Short mmCIF file of all heavy atoms in Angstrom, two decimals:
data_model
loop_
_atom_site.label_atom_id
_atom_site.label_comp_id
_atom_site.label_asym_id
_atom_site.label_seq_id
_atom_site.Cartn_x
_atom_site.Cartn_y
_atom_site.Cartn_z
N SER A 581 108.93 -29.56 85.91
CA SER A 581 110.27 -29.22 85.43
C SER A 581 110.58 -27.75 85.66
O SER A 581 109.73 -26.98 86.04
CB SER A 581 110.40 -29.58 83.95
OG SER A 581 109.58 -28.74 83.18
N ARG A 582 111.83 -27.35 85.41
CA ARG A 582 112.33 -25.98 85.60
C ARG A 582 113.02 -25.53 84.33
O ARG A 582 113.36 -26.35 83.52
CB ARG A 582 113.32 -25.95 86.77
CG ARG A 582 112.65 -26.22 88.09
CD ARG A 582 113.51 -25.68 89.22
NE ARG A 582 112.93 -25.92 90.49
CZ ARG A 582 112.11 -25.08 91.09
NH1 ARG A 582 111.79 -23.95 90.53
NH2 ARG A 582 111.61 -25.36 92.26
N PRO A 583 113.34 -24.26 84.10
CA PRO A 583 113.22 -23.08 84.95
C PRO A 583 111.80 -22.53 84.99
O PRO A 583 111.51 -21.60 85.72
CB PRO A 583 114.16 -22.06 84.32
CG PRO A 583 114.10 -22.37 82.88
CD PRO A 583 113.94 -23.88 82.81
N PHE A 584 110.95 -23.08 84.18
CA PHE A 584 109.54 -22.71 84.25
C PHE A 584 108.89 -23.58 85.31
O PHE A 584 109.30 -24.71 85.54
CB PHE A 584 108.86 -22.98 82.90
CG PHE A 584 109.45 -22.19 81.77
CD1 PHE A 584 110.43 -22.74 80.96
CD2 PHE A 584 109.04 -20.91 81.52
CE1 PHE A 584 110.98 -22.03 79.92
CE2 PHE A 584 109.58 -20.17 80.48
CZ PHE A 584 110.56 -20.73 79.68
N GLU A 585 107.86 -23.06 85.91
CA GLU A 585 107.05 -23.88 86.80
C GLU A 585 106.01 -24.53 85.89
O GLU A 585 105.27 -23.84 85.19
CB GLU A 585 106.40 -23.00 87.86
CG GLU A 585 105.55 -23.79 88.81
CD GLU A 585 104.86 -22.90 89.83
OE1 GLU A 585 104.70 -21.69 89.58
OE2 GLU A 585 104.47 -23.44 90.86
N ILE A 586 105.96 -25.85 85.89
CA ILE A 586 105.02 -26.56 85.01
C ILE A 586 104.18 -27.48 85.89
O ILE A 586 104.72 -28.34 86.57
CB ILE A 586 105.77 -27.34 83.91
CG1 ILE A 586 106.55 -26.34 83.05
CG2 ILE A 586 104.79 -28.14 83.07
CD1 ILE A 586 107.34 -26.96 81.95
N VAL A 587 102.87 -27.24 85.86
CA VAL A 587 101.97 -27.94 86.76
C VAL A 587 100.73 -28.44 86.01
O VAL A 587 100.37 -27.89 84.96
CB VAL A 587 101.54 -27.04 87.93
CG1 VAL A 587 102.74 -26.63 88.78
CG2 VAL A 587 100.81 -25.81 87.45
N PRO A 588 100.08 -29.46 86.54
CA PRO A 588 98.84 -29.97 85.92
C PRO A 588 97.74 -28.91 85.93
O PRO A 588 97.63 -28.11 86.87
CB PRO A 588 98.46 -31.15 86.81
CG PRO A 588 99.70 -31.53 87.53
CD PRO A 588 100.49 -30.27 87.70
N LEU A 589 96.92 -28.92 84.90
CA LEU A 589 95.77 -28.01 84.83
C LEU A 589 94.65 -28.58 85.70
O LEU A 589 93.95 -29.50 85.31
CB LEU A 589 95.29 -27.85 83.39
CG LEU A 589 94.00 -27.03 83.21
CD1 LEU A 589 94.15 -25.63 83.79
CD2 LEU A 589 93.61 -26.98 81.75
N ALA A 590 94.52 -28.01 86.88
CA ALA A 590 93.45 -28.36 87.80
C ALA A 590 92.35 -27.30 87.68
O ALA A 590 92.60 -26.19 87.19
CB ALA A 590 94.00 -28.41 89.22
N PRO A 591 91.13 -27.60 88.14
CA PRO A 591 90.04 -26.63 88.01
C PRO A 591 90.36 -25.24 88.57
O PRO A 591 89.95 -24.23 87.98
CB PRO A 591 88.90 -27.29 88.79
CG PRO A 591 89.15 -28.75 88.64
CD PRO A 591 90.66 -28.88 88.69
N GLU A 592 91.11 -25.17 89.64
CA GLU A 592 91.42 -23.85 90.22
C GLU A 592 92.38 -23.04 89.35
O GLU A 592 92.61 -21.86 89.60
CB GLU A 592 91.98 -24.00 91.65
CG GLU A 592 93.26 -24.76 91.74
CD GLU A 592 93.10 -26.27 91.93
OE1 GLU A 592 91.99 -26.81 91.70
OE2 GLU A 592 94.10 -26.91 92.28
N ARG A 593 92.94 -23.63 88.31
CA ARG A 593 93.84 -22.93 87.39
C ARG A 593 93.14 -22.56 86.07
O ARG A 593 93.79 -22.17 85.11
CB ARG A 593 95.06 -23.79 87.10
CG ARG A 593 95.91 -24.02 88.33
CD ARG A 593 97.16 -24.81 88.00
NE ARG A 593 97.96 -24.99 89.17
CZ ARG A 593 98.78 -24.07 89.67
NH1 ARG A 593 98.92 -22.91 89.07
NH2 ARG A 593 99.47 -24.31 90.76
N TRP A 594 91.83 -22.70 86.02
CA TRP A 594 91.09 -22.44 84.79
C TRP A 594 91.39 -21.07 84.20
O TRP A 594 91.64 -20.93 83.01
CB TRP A 594 89.58 -22.62 85.02
CG TRP A 594 88.80 -22.23 83.81
CD1 TRP A 594 88.01 -21.13 83.66
CD2 TRP A 594 88.77 -22.91 82.56
NE1 TRP A 594 87.47 -21.10 82.39
CE2 TRP A 594 87.93 -22.19 81.70
CE3 TRP A 594 89.37 -24.08 82.08
CZ2 TRP A 594 87.67 -22.58 80.39
CZ3 TRP A 594 89.11 -24.47 80.77
CH2 TRP A 594 88.27 -23.73 79.95
N GLN A 595 91.38 -20.03 85.01
CA GLN A 595 91.61 -18.68 84.48
C GLN A 595 93.02 -18.54 83.91
O GLN A 595 93.25 -17.71 83.02
CB GLN A 595 91.35 -17.62 85.56
CG GLN A 595 89.88 -17.46 85.89
CD GLN A 595 89.02 -17.17 84.66
OE1 GLN A 595 89.38 -16.38 83.78
NE2 GLN A 595 87.87 -17.82 84.58
N ASP A 596 93.95 -19.35 84.37
CA ASP A 596 95.31 -19.31 83.84
C ASP A 596 95.36 -19.85 82.41
O ASP A 596 96.02 -19.29 81.54
CB ASP A 596 96.27 -20.06 84.74
CG ASP A 596 96.42 -19.40 86.10
OD1 ASP A 596 96.06 -18.22 86.25
OD2 ASP A 596 96.91 -20.08 87.02
N VAL A 597 94.64 -20.94 82.15
CA VAL A 597 94.63 -21.46 80.78
C VAL A 597 93.86 -20.52 79.86
O VAL A 597 94.21 -20.33 78.70
CB VAL A 597 94.13 -22.92 80.71
CG1 VAL A 597 92.63 -23.04 80.75
CG2 VAL A 597 94.67 -23.62 79.47
N VAL A 598 92.83 -19.86 80.39
CA VAL A 598 92.11 -18.85 79.61
C VAL A 598 93.07 -17.73 79.21
O VAL A 598 93.07 -17.28 78.06
CB VAL A 598 90.91 -18.30 80.42
CG1 VAL A 598 90.30 -17.08 79.74
CG2 VAL A 598 89.85 -19.38 80.59
N ALA A 599 93.93 -17.32 80.13
CA ALA A 599 94.91 -16.26 79.83
C ALA A 599 95.90 -16.71 78.76
O ALA A 599 96.26 -15.93 77.88
CB ALA A 599 95.66 -15.87 81.10
N VAL A 600 96.31 -17.97 78.80
CA VAL A 600 97.24 -18.48 77.80
C VAL A 600 96.57 -18.51 76.42
O VAL A 600 97.16 -18.12 75.43
CB VAL A 600 97.76 -19.89 78.17
CG1 VAL A 600 98.51 -20.52 77.01
CG2 VAL A 600 98.65 -19.82 79.41
N PHE A 601 95.33 -18.95 76.36
CA PHE A 601 94.63 -19.06 75.09
C PHE A 601 94.30 -17.71 74.47
O PHE A 601 94.11 -17.60 73.28
CB PHE A 601 93.35 -19.87 75.25
CG PHE A 601 93.58 -21.36 75.35
CD1 PHE A 601 94.83 -21.91 75.51
CD2 PHE A 601 92.51 -22.22 75.29
CE1 PHE A 601 95.02 -23.27 75.61
CE2 PHE A 601 92.68 -23.59 75.38
CZ PHE A 601 93.94 -24.12 75.53
N GLY A 602 94.20 -16.68 75.27
CA GLY A 602 94.00 -15.35 74.72
C GLY A 602 92.56 -14.89 74.74
O GLY A 602 91.72 -15.43 75.45
N ASP A 603 92.28 -13.93 73.90
CA ASP A 603 91.03 -13.18 73.95
C ASP A 603 89.85 -13.83 73.24
O ASP A 603 88.82 -13.20 73.04
CB ASP A 603 91.24 -11.78 73.39
CG ASP A 603 91.68 -11.80 71.94
OD1 ASP A 603 91.64 -12.87 71.30
OD2 ASP A 603 92.06 -10.73 71.43
N GLY A 604 89.97 -15.08 72.84
CA GLY A 604 88.84 -15.74 72.19
C GLY A 604 88.85 -15.67 70.69
O GLY A 604 88.00 -16.25 70.03
N ARG A 605 89.80 -14.95 70.12
CA ARG A 605 89.91 -14.90 68.66
C ARG A 605 90.97 -15.91 68.23
O ARG A 605 91.81 -16.32 69.02
CB ARG A 605 90.32 -13.51 68.20
CG ARG A 605 89.25 -12.47 68.48
CD ARG A 605 89.72 -11.12 68.07
NE ARG A 605 90.84 -10.76 68.95
CZ ARG A 605 91.57 -9.67 68.84
NH1 ARG A 605 91.33 -8.83 67.87
NH2 ARG A 605 92.53 -9.41 69.68
N GLY A 606 90.94 -16.30 67.00
CA GLY A 606 91.97 -17.17 66.47
C GLY A 606 91.78 -18.63 66.85
O GLY A 606 90.77 -19.03 67.40
N VAL A 607 92.79 -19.41 66.54
CA VAL A 607 92.72 -20.86 66.70
C VAL A 607 92.44 -21.27 68.13
O VAL A 607 91.55 -22.06 68.41
CB VAL A 607 94.02 -21.52 66.18
CG1 VAL A 607 94.01 -22.99 66.45
CG2 VAL A 607 94.16 -21.27 64.69
N CYS A 608 93.20 -20.77 69.08
CA CYS A 608 93.03 -21.19 70.47
C CYS A 608 91.66 -20.83 71.02
O CYS A 608 91.03 -21.62 71.70
CB CYS A 608 94.11 -20.59 71.36
SG CYS A 608 95.76 -21.13 70.91
N GLY A 609 91.21 -19.64 70.72
CA GLY A 609 89.93 -19.18 71.23
C GLY A 609 88.74 -19.90 70.61
O GLY A 609 87.66 -19.92 71.19
N GLU A 610 88.90 -20.47 69.46
CA GLU A 610 87.84 -21.22 68.81
C GLU A 610 87.90 -22.71 69.15
O GLU A 610 86.90 -23.36 69.31
CB GLU A 610 87.93 -21.05 67.29
CG GLU A 610 87.70 -19.63 66.82
CD GLU A 610 86.26 -19.19 66.98
OE1 GLU A 610 85.36 -19.93 66.56
OE2 GLU A 610 86.04 -18.11 67.54
N CYS A 611 89.11 -23.23 69.29
CA CYS A 611 89.32 -24.67 69.44
C CYS A 611 89.19 -25.16 70.89
O CYS A 611 88.56 -26.16 71.15
CB CYS A 611 90.71 -25.03 68.91
SG CYS A 611 91.11 -26.78 69.05
N TRP A 612 89.86 -24.47 71.79
CA TRP A 612 89.88 -24.86 73.19
C TRP A 612 90.33 -26.32 73.37
O TRP A 612 89.82 -27.06 74.20
CB TRP A 612 88.53 -24.61 73.86
CG TRP A 612 88.28 -23.16 74.03
CD1 TRP A 612 87.61 -22.34 73.19
CD2 TRP A 612 88.74 -22.34 75.11
NE1 TRP A 612 87.63 -21.05 73.67
CE2 TRP A 612 88.31 -21.03 74.84
CE3 TRP A 612 89.47 -22.60 76.26
CZ2 TRP A 612 88.59 -19.97 75.70
CZ3 TRP A 612 89.74 -21.55 77.11
CH2 TRP A 612 89.30 -20.25 76.82
#
């Protein structure tokens, strides 16, 4: 969909989901 580019999380996008989840603190960094 648009205006955002929205794509499936494939292995080559791993670092992108890491960036979204943040620095490892809080809910996202603990839950994954």
Side-chain angles (χ1 to χ4, degrees):
S581 68
R582 292 201 181 270
F584 299 94
E585 180 182 22
I586 298 179
V587 298
L589 174 58
E592 62 270 15
R593 295 183 179 280
W594 174 251
Q595 289 305 317
D596 294 343
V597 81
V598 169
V600 169
F601 283 10
D603 62 10
R605 294 177 294 175
V607 175
C608 297
E610 295 289 311
C611 179
W612 289 94

